[in-house]
Amino acid sequence: MNNQGDHFKNVISHAKEYGFVFQSSEIYDGLSAVYDYGQNGAELKKNIREYWWKAMVQMNTNIVGLDASIFMHPTTWKASGHVDAFNDPLIDNKDSKKRYRADVLVEDYCAKIEQKIEKEVKKAKKRFGDAFDENEFLKTNQRVLAYQDKIETILKRMARSLENEDLADVKALIEELEIADPVSGSRNWTDVKQFNLMFGTKLGASAESAMDLYLRPETAQGIFVNFLNVQKTGRMKIPFGIAQTGKAFRNEIVARQFIFRMREFEQMEMQFFIKPGTQGEWYKHWKEKRLNWHLSLGMGEENYRFHDHEKLAHYADAAADIEFRFPFGFKELEGIHSRTDFDLSQHEKHAGKKLQFFDPEENKNYVPYVLETSIGLDRMFLAVFSNSLKNEELENNSTRTVLKLPAVLAPTKAAILPLVKKDGLPEIAKEILQELQWDFNVAYDEKDAVGRRYRRQDAIGTPFCITIDHQTIEDNTVTVRYRDSMKQERVAVKNLKTLIEDHVSMKNWLKNC
Ligand code: GAP
């Protein structure tokens, strides 16, 4: 197993061992690609959601929130194109009987070429030392250029074939590239077929009168069908946005890579309604804004990149992904889509109702265009969690496992630790706990030696450990130990709140956006 694979295994086992993510219905052997969030996971997820909501809704007077239902009138999905076009191309291996997404097989093939490029970069870095210019190398090295060219040719051809519904050519591509089943190594493939990803269910008491429904595959449609409700009641003027977070469901064929691709997941989406013709500038604006939101968390600029789509979804005239370096390589984390007036026009047609805005400057009605930002909350969780998990060698030759979460997202902000369970220290500790509890999620731990308690907090990413000792009784000071540097300092109890606040407040982090 390579280092990346090892790290990913550690991520999954750490998430389980420390109460972040459990397999759903584990006592019944689990349900494939469905997960539950434990005591720490629920807090981390809530904090990510809040960080997004604050940046998108609270800090933009022209963006408002919405909480639409998961169940929607079935015509919604006919209008949106999901009944006819929300398909994945699937292919079966005749020997292993395993089913794959044909496009993912090809993308994985390209990811392997990408790894070869990374290897070349590493080798060159070693060779040239400080004088190495990575950008120049990527632009000029013949071998790298050939690899890049190969990736581009393959992806372009696949995009074209999928666009033209030429599934025979997708199969031909897989055969030409000699892509083998990752499990069995067999190249004995069936034809490529389309598979609709929506889950169906029924609404109603009797079989005759029941209505066929779908579980929503994206939260966006709840926003579109409420466009006029919000615009009129909120007296919103274009440009304005509607944001919401909530569950979405997809019957994914390739449900793997832990919480990266789930069958039930949560999205954080924002639809920004604009004047037709201005989509180019808003597309640029939101690409930049969203990347800055990610960068504000300090997880390394080098771990992000844009990927402009070759194959556009049925509703888009431009689209890009913000990709993140997950433990298994660069993959989509968020999508920025220029959706034109596709959705609102479709709903107008199917509902027979106008979904237009009267623009007083233009003195006319029009169907607004839409710029969408869409991020998977679970995927963001995986990005943050996997990037933060570190195994560190310490000076005394020991090691520690530490979850260096951005402090603003940490489930627990501080742990209150009385040095010993006597001499009145637990009582003082509990007083401090009760005071800080009003403002932060704080933990109390009096079991085991203090060093072991530090390690436990490191493992769940708590930025501060606050130790109450005998000196506290005399001068009302405590020892504050920082998670990342492990440095300790003496701090007056009355200054604790401000100290923690400075490090964890959303305001201080979001100011970097
Ligand atoms: N409304 C547009 C839309 O849904 P998408 O690219 O299909 O676009 C948006 O999904 C985001 O939702 C993705 O960038 C990803 O973060 C997340 N996402 C999509 N499918 C997912 C799945 N099966 N499991 C977890 N997250 C998923």
Side-chain angles (χ1 to χ4, degrees), residues 363-395:
N363 197 26
K364 67 172 188 194
N365 284 302
Y366 55 75
V367 179
Y369 268 41
V370 170
L371 219 293
E372 168 184 73
T373 71
S374 174
I375 175 170
L377 175 49
D378 313 84
R379 217 171 262 193
M380 183 66 193
F381 183 111
L382 182 59
V384 171
F385 193 89
S386 59
N387 187 265
S388 303
L389 185 61
K390 315 270 180 211
N391 260 321
E392 281 185 351
E393 305 250 335
L394 302 179
E395 276 165 12

Side-chain angles (χ1 to χ4, degrees), residues 188-372:
N188 193 7
W189 297 109
T190 62
D191 288 342
V192 178
K193 282 178 265 166
Q194 291 291 18
F195 174 81
N196 193 284
L197 297 183
M198 283 196 294
F199 282 106
T201 185
K202 290 200 180 292
L203 178 115
S206 69
E208 305 82 63
S209 64
M211 187 185 206
D212 285 318
L213 290 190
Y214 294 106
L215 298 185
R216 68 179 177 198
E218 61 171 12
T219 60
Q221 296 304 324
I223 294 179
F224 291 124
V225 300
N226 278 296
F227 161 72
L228 262 196
N229 284 339
V230 175
Q231 190 271 319
K232 286 209 176 324
T233 56
R235 297 193 299 135
M236 309 301 291
K237 302 257 174 310
I238 272 177
F240 76 92
I242 305 179
Q244 77 167 329
T245 69
K247 287 278 174 113
F249 303 82
R250 295 182 189 179
N251 197 359
E252 298 283 359
I253 303 162
V254 188
R256 59 185 169 131
Q257 293 168 322
F258 193 37
I259 55 173
F260 181 81
R261 198 179 300 286
M262 302 155 89
R263 296 202 162 105
E264 173 182 340
F265 58 100
E266 193 165 336
Q267 289 187 314
M268 307 191 287
E269 298 202 296
M270 192 277 297
Q271 312 295 323
F272 200 66
F273 298 94
I274 56 177
K275 199 192 267 189
T278 61
Q279 66 268 34
E281 66 196 73
W282 284 115
Y283 179 59
K284 206 167 141 242
H285 170 90
W286 280 109
K287 271 176 82 173
E288 198 181 304
K289 269 269 209 197
R290 292 303 304 147
L291 182 64
N292 286 344
W293 179 83
H294 287 284
L295 295 179
S296 73
L297 288 169
M299 299 201 298
E301 210 164 328
E302 69 286 0
N303 291 322
Y304 300 86
R305 69 182 188 194
F306 280 115
H307 167 241
D308 295 311
H309 282 209
E310 296 281 347
K311 177 186 185 275
L312 293 172
H314 57 273
Y315 50 73
D317 73 355
D321 296 335
I322 295 176
E323 292 189 336
F324 183 75
R325 197 197 298 263
F326 286 96
F328 35 82
F330 271 103
K331 294 270 179 210
E332 173 186 348
L333 172 59
E334 169 158 7
I336 321 288
H337 310 127
S338 172
R339 290 182 82 127
T340 67
D341 60 356
F342 175 84
D343 302 87
L344 289 180
S345 299
Q346 284 292 104
H347 289 305
E348 274 200 331
K349 238 187 265 165
H350 283 77
K353 300 205 172 85
K354 286 223 173 307
L355 293 173
Q356 303 194 352
F357 172 76
F358 177 74
D359 191 329
E361 281 168 23
E362 304 262 324
N363 197 26
K364 67 172 188 194
N365 284 302
Y366 55 75
V367 179
Y369 268 41
V370 170
L371 219 293
E372 168 184 73

Side-chain angles (χ1 to χ4, degrees), residues 62-132:
N62 63 347
I63 300 181
V64 292
L66 180 77
D67 185 3
S69 298
I70 287 170
F71 290 147
M72 297 183 71
H73 192 284
T75 311
T76 309
W77 307 110
K78 188 75 195 152
S80 67
H82 284 82
V83 171
D84 298 317
F86 193 54
N87 302 317
D88 273 346
L90 70 85
I91 190 165
D92 291 290
N93 187 279
K94 290 184 196 163
D95 296 324
S96 71
K97 309 279 181 251
K98 293 246 174 245
R99 179 163 281 189
Y100 298 94
R101 258 176 66 177
D103 56 333
V104 171
L105 284 179
V106 175
E107 277 168 11
D108 285 353
Y109 180 90
C110 292
K112 282 195 191 127
I113 308 179
E114 188 91 43
Q115 278 169 14
K116 286 184 188 166
I117 297 178
E118 281 181 17
K119 256 193 201 149
E120 292 292 335
V121 171
K122 245 190 208 159
K123 261 195 322 199
K125 227 180 227 168
K126 236 186 196 167
R127 196 163 357 119
F128 296 116
D130 286 346
F132 182 63

